Amino acid sequence: MTTASDLLPNDPGEWRALLLAERARHAAELMAARSRAEEEIARLRQIILELQRHRFGRRAERLDPDQLALALEDLEQTLAATEAEPAGAAAIKPAPARRTVNRGNLPADLPHEEILIDVADKTCRCCGGALHAIGEDVSQRLDLVPARFRVLVTRRPKYACRRCEEGVVQAAAPARIVDAGIPTEALIAHVLVSKYADHLPLYRQAQIYARQGVDLDRSTLADWVGRAAWYLRPLHDRLLANLKASGKLFADETTAPVLDPGRGSTKTGQLWAYARDDRPWGGPEPPAVAYVYAPDRKAERPVAHLRGFAGVLQVDGYAGYRKLAEAGSVRLAFCWSHVRRGFYDLQTGGSAPIASEALLRIAKLYAVEAEIRGRDAEARRRERQARSAPLIAELKTWLEKQLAAVSRKSTLAEAIRYALSRWEGLTLFLDDGRVEIDSNSVERSIRPLALTRKNALFAGSDGGGEHWATIASLVETCKLNGVDPQAWFADVLTKLAGGHPITKLDELLPWDYARQAEPAVA
């Protein structure tokens, strides 16, 4: 019987070789473990940097012009204050050069009120004769009359016959959104626009009204909003149906915190956005967006929302949209902006030559898009096939080569796999001139929801989330079509309260409303 000790060598040289081999194996294992640990530490550090940027830093890859304007505002205020110094101070300091400022053009349709500033005595100081006018200086200044409440008193006389006394004759009372209530439809429209377009929560609106001597409880304003949302719901449904009849849509979603009284906190609902914007290729359909509230983010939600839709749906990387494509009637186009974002996060975290190279290659695709924006769909398709297709073929080969060279657990590998796993949807825009290179159109429609969410913090219930989706859809669609939301809501609410036919709802959609208003303006 052979034991383990019998297998051991007797020669000291062989013992030395075994010892060296064991040490080498152990050192190799240590180096491999250290390499794995360093990769893991680098990956975790990158995650921390991304979380810090997400929590405390900018979320867009480009500089926000509004943020730049904040600095310019301060500089302009300082210059204006300097120019406004009194004459005594100006005598001490050299007068600043007069600035060239764009003060804006005053619209011709604004009401004009003339103020005459005339001399008190129109007799000549020398000879006592009458002065005659030889000209005048005219200046225009923009003035503002703060919003003022007024009371509309409606009188409905009653009539009766003195002879037969068969009954009382009286004109019918006009229909109202709030029966027996005090608000006009214009006031309700102002509350809606202030909350969902200007992002003023109802309690802040109540504070503003109180400064004007009108005490309106927040719950009263909430009642008006709820009643208006009930009247506007059929228009929202018609808007969504109109969008689903299109051949191409954008889709995105964002969180909608909703109060959950049973738990004493908030739950996370979702506002799904479905948008149409054919302006980049001169399409015939007007721009529009419809939001739909849902209590969760399950994949069944967009499937239910877009039932009946057939065409191209441009989305981000959320896997829930893939259920829509399983039936074959929907093709998914993915977003290059989300691909770029993964490499951008790596570049901002430190030295990342591969990420920087990826950004440069993607920037060439966007340069082509900037040149062909506004052309028809077929012209865009031809230019993309000639110019963008070779760039994308080279980019795919380069990404596959880089993926084989980097650690599979690194964040760089994750960014590369994100792109390669969605390559078919990312290249769909090459064959269809209607498709955009990214889904930024719908992301721009999501931003107003984020502002309202930031100021209002949460919706009071699932019903409040549905009201939010209904009214915000109509507000943003008005803005996309150049329609004043205040005027539109006031007119449409009046018509809906008066019994506007349900079969003619399309006449009230913002783009039809804008077309009807054009002849009147002309």
Side-chain angles (χ1 to χ4, degrees):
M1 180 177 178
T2 303
T3 62
S5 60
D6 296 334
L7 299 176
L8 295 176
N10 296 320
D11 184 23
E14 293 182 5
W15 273 103
R16 179 180 177 83
L18 282 176
L19 181 60
L20 292 175
E22 180 63 20
R23 287 180 176 177
R25 184 185 64 82
H26 184 63
E29 289 179 353
L30 286 177
M31 291 182 62
R34 180 178 298 173
S35 177
R36 289 193 298 269
E38 289 176 351
E39 289 179 359
E40 183 65 13
I41 290 172
R43 188 180 72 87
L44 293 176
R45 282 178 176 171
Q46 182 61 36
I47 291 174
I48 292 172
L49 288 173
E50 292 176 9
L51 290 174
Q52 288 176 333
R53 175 175 169 267
H54 180 79
R55 178 65 181 84
F56 302 108
R58 287 187 43 78
R59 299 188 184 184
E61 291 98 41
R62 297 195 309 174
L63 290 176
D64 189 346
D66 291 337
Q67 292 295 325
L68 293 176
L70 292 177
L72 294 177
E73 287 175 7
D74 290 339
L75 292 174
E76 290 168 349
Q77 291 169 17
T78 304
L79 289 173
T82 303
E83 291 181 355
E85 289 182 356
I92 300 174
K93 298 180 182 179
R98 187 170 184 83
R99 292 183 297 144
T100 301
V101 182
N102 178 15
R103 302 189 183 279
N105 297 319
L106 301 181
D109 58 346
L110 287 180
H112 286 59
E113 179 180 341
E114 293 193 358
I115 300 175
L116 179 63
I117 304 177
D118 208 346
V119 296
D121 185 6
K122 297 183 181 179
T123 59
C124 179
R125 296 179 180 178
C126 178
C127 65
L131 298 177
H132 66 279
I134 60 173
E136 63 179 359
D137 291 333
V138 179
S139 63
Q140 292 186 345
R141 301 167 66 198
L142 187 62
D143 191 25
L144 172 67
V145 178
R148 294 182 298 173
F149 286 99
R150 65 178 182 177
V151 178
L152 296 183
V153 180
T154 303
R155 300 183 184 278
R156 294 189 298 127
K158 298 179 180 180
Y159 299 92
C161 179
R162 292 184 182 276
R163 292 182 180 180
C164 57
E165 299 182 356
E166 287 201 3
V168 177
V169 179
Q170 185 183 33
R176 302 177 179 180
I177 292 292
V178 180
D179 292 331
I182 63 173
T184 64
E185 281 64 42
L187 177 56
I188 296 175
H190 184 268
V191 173
L192 297 180
V193 172
S194 296
K195 178 175 174 63
Y196 295 103
D198 300 329
H199 319 294
L200 280 176
L202 295 181
Y203 79 91
R204 292 186 186 175
Q205 295 187 50
Q207 293 172 352
I208 294 172
Y209 299 156
R211 289 200 297 267
Q212 301 182 54
V214 179
D215 291 324
L216 292 172
D217 192 75
R218 182 199 52 78
S219 61
T220 300
L221 300 181
D223 177 74
W224 298 353
V225 172
R227 291 175 184 271
W230 184 86
Y231 275 92
L232 294 168
R233 189 177 303 162
L235 265 180
H236 174 266
D237 295 340
R238 186 66 202 128
L239 173 62
L240 182 58
N242 185 282
L243 288 174
K244 290 195 292 185
S246 306
K248 179 188 173 299
L249 291 178
F250 296 92
D252 200 0
E253 76 288 334
T254 188
T255 57
V258 176
L259 193 62
D260 190 3
R263 296 190 305 166
S265 60
T266 59
K267 60 182 180 181
T268 303
Q270 293 287 325
L271 281 169
W272 300 80
Y274 305 104
R276 175 180 63 208
D277 191 354
D278 296 344
R279 293 173 295 181
W281 56 277
E285 299 294 335
V289 60
Y291 306 111
V292 183
Y293 172 78
D296 53 53
R297 199 182 181 223
K298 294 180 180 178
E300 291 80 5
R301 300 300 180 182
V303 173
H305 300 160
L306 295 179
R307 186 171 289 113
F309 169 71
V312 177
L313 186 68
Q314 190 141 18
V315 297
D316 56 18
Y318 174 48
Y321 293 114
R322 295 184 180 178
K323 278 199 170 184
L324 284 162
E326 291 176 358
S329 59
V330 176
R331 293 184 300 160
L332 296 182
F334 290 116
C335 173
W336 276 97
S337 179
H338 283 76
V339 173
R340 182 178 61 184
R341 197 166 299 164
F343 295 109
Y344 177 82
D345 290 339
L346 286 168
Q347 186 195 46
T348 56
S351 177
I354 296 178
S356 299
E357 175 67 18
L359 290 175
L360 291 175
R361 290 173 178 264
I362 296 173
K364 294 179 181 179
L365 300 177
Y366 274 87
V368 175
E369 293 301 306
E371 292 183 26
I372 65 176
R373 182 170 297 275
R375 302 185 189 180
D376 63 81
E378 179 57 25
R380 281 156 54 103
R381 188 194 67 79
R382 289 196 302 267
E383 287 292 320
R384 287 168 174 173
Q385 287 291 331
R387 302 170 60 186
S388 299
L391 295 175
I392 284 184
E394 294 175 2
L395 176 59
K396 183 181 182 182
T397 302
W398 180 80
L399 287 175
E400 291 172 341
K401 180 180 178 180
Q402 302 307 316
L403 182 61
V406 302
S407 170
R408 298 183 60 84
K409 293 183 179 181
S410 65
T411 51
L412 178 59
E414 292 177 6
I416 296 175
R417 283 195 296 267
Y418 178 93
L420 294 177
S421 63
R422 295 165 175 81
W423 203 254
E424 182 179 356
L426 287 170
T427 56
L428 184 59
F429 80 105
L430 296 175
D431 302 315
D432 192 337
R434 302 171 305 161
V435 179
E436 290 297 295
I437 193 173
D438 53 38
S439 59
N440 287 351
S441 293
V442 71
E443 290 200 1
R444 287 191 292 269
S445 298
I446 286 288
R447 290 174 188 168
L449 298 180
L451 288 173
T452 301
R453 178 181 60 206
K454 181 179 179 180
N455 290 333
L457 299 183
F458 52 79
S461 64
D462 287 335
E466 292 173 359
H467 295 166
W468 187 358
T470 296
I471 301 170
S473 300
L474 300 171
V475 166
E476 292 306 314
T477 302
C478 280
K479 290 160 63 176
L480 287 172
N481 288 275
V483 174
D484 177 14
Q486 170 69 39
W488 183 86
F489 274 111
D491 190 16
V492 166
L493 287 175
T494 301
K495 291 177 178 177
L496 292 175
H500 187 85
I502 194 72
T503 56
K504 296 183 178 181
L505 283 180
D506 284 358
E507 297 177 357
L508 302 182
L509 291 174
W511 54 84
D512 274 344
Y513 180 88
R515 282 197 289 264
Q516 295 169 21
E518 287 176 359
V521 172

